[in-house]
Amino acid sequence: MKGRGTRWQGGLFLAAVCLFSSCTEGRGPTSSESLAIKAHRALLSGDLGTALRLDRKALAESPGDRALMNNLAVVLWKTGKKAEAKRLLEKALFQDPDNTLFLMNLARIELSLGHAKAAYKDASRIIVRDRWPDGFRTLMGKIDIDRARYKEAHIYLHEAQERHPGNPLILTYLGIVHYRIGESEEAASNFRAALARHPSAGLAKTLRALLSDPARVLDVPQDKAGVFRKTPPLPK
């Protein structure tokens, strides 16, 4: 179907379904597409309950529509139903195994569940592509932080910063990398720079905590090899 792109929303990607009068020329949106449009508007307004109800109804009307599967997975993830979101994305990927959008969303969900190895397995299928989608370098940086691969994370995040120099989340992740490798002054500099770039209220709160007591935020129990089990997820 024509007119389907992607929209970034709250850490995951939505598949745009005729959102900007981009339905197939000569016809209006179908019933399921109309529901998806209303669900998208509800999500943007913060009405997650309505978005979830409408996205479920849209998919029930068009059960084979992979874009609708993806959008419902995004709302499920945002409402804490991560396992259901994961199953739905896996179903979409079974039908469309090379879909970059679905792979990135699944990797983000795996990462939020603390499954860094699974997230890497999903996201690494994109590495071989000639072009990487927007947000991929940041995602790989976060995955490599959680895998304790700080050198690789540093490379991905610097490339991301070159493309998005004012992004406070990228700067925050860079600060975490510097903290992990013992460069506390560089870490603090990254956190201050991120805070100065007007991050969301949630991220600003986290940054202030990172600046006042980074160990309390970041130091968690280690395994026998001395590897951090996970890095707490950060708000956008």
Side-chain angles (χ1 to χ4, degrees):
M1 178 179 295
K2 295 179 182 178
R4 293 202 176 175
T6 59
R7 300 278 292 169
W8 179 254
Q9 175 62 37
L12 297 181
F13 282 103
L14 286 169
V17 183
C18 301
L19 295 180
F20 301 102
S21 300
S22 57
C23 294
T24 302
E25 191 172 341
R27 71 157 179 85
T30 65
S31 175
S32 60
E33 289 167 348
S34 294
L35 288 167
I37 293 169
K38 293 176 183 178
H40 177 75
R41 291 170 180 162
L43 181 60
L44 290 179
S45 70
D47 188 353
L48 295 178
T50 297
L52 181 59
R53 177 177 58 81
L54 293 173
D55 272 330
R56 284 195 188 279
K57 188 174 180 180
L59 186 58
E61 291 191 7
S62 300
D65 191 308
R66 296 186 297 276
L68 297 179
M69 292 181 196
N70 176 81
N71 286 4
L72 177 55
V74 170
V75 180
L76 288 167
W77 175 80
K78 289 181 71 66
T79 54
K81 299 175 174 63
K82 296 178 183 180
E84 187 179 353
K86 177 183 172 181
R87 289 194 299 270
L88 196 56
L89 276 173
E90 288 173 339
K91 182 178 178 180
L93 275 165
F94 182 79
Q95 298 180 35
D96 190 2
D98 295 322
N99 189 298
T100 301
L101 171 66
F102 302 162
L103 286 168
M104 288 185 65
N105 279 348
L106 182 58
R108 292 181 188 280
I109 289 172
E110 293 281 17
L111 200 59
S112 72
L113 289 167
H115 305 157
K117 289 183 179 179
Y120 179 79
K121 182 179 179 181
D122 297 326
S124 63
R125 290 164 61 182
I126 301 172
I127 293 175
V128 297
R129 307 287 176 89
D130 292 334
R131 295 183 63 183
W132 290 345
D134 189 39
F136 178 71
R137 292 171 177 82
T138 307
L139 172 60
M140 288 301 298
K142 180 60 169 68
I143 289 172
D144 279 332
I145 288 173
D146 284 14
R147 295 172 67 229
R149 304 292 181 93
Y150 304 123
K151 180 179 179 180
E152 291 90 339
H154 196 265
I155 292 171
Y156 278 120
L157 291 168
H158 264 294
E159 290 182 357
Q161 186 187 32
E162 288 175 0
R163 289 162 174 78
H164 307 284
N167 188 300
L169 186 65
I170 296 171
L171 284 165
T172 303
Y173 287 158
L174 277 171
I176 292 172
V177 170
H178 284 130
Y179 177 83
R180 289 284 191 240
I181 62 179
E183 297 177 349
S184 57
E185 291 185 8
E186 289 85 347
S189 177
N190 288 142
F191 297 148
R192 283 193 294 269
L195 191 58
R197 284 166 170 77
H198 307 291
S200 69
L203 183 55
K205 180 179 179 180
T206 301
L207 284 163
R208 286 191 286 270
L210 285 167
L211 283 166
S212 64
D213 191 357
R216 180 174 60 85
V217 179
L218 296 175
D219 289 346
V220 294
Q222 297 177 323
D223 62 19
K224 293 180 179 180
V227 175
F228 290 92
R229 291 178 181 171
K230 65 175 292 187
T231 296
L234 300 181
K236 286 288 292 177

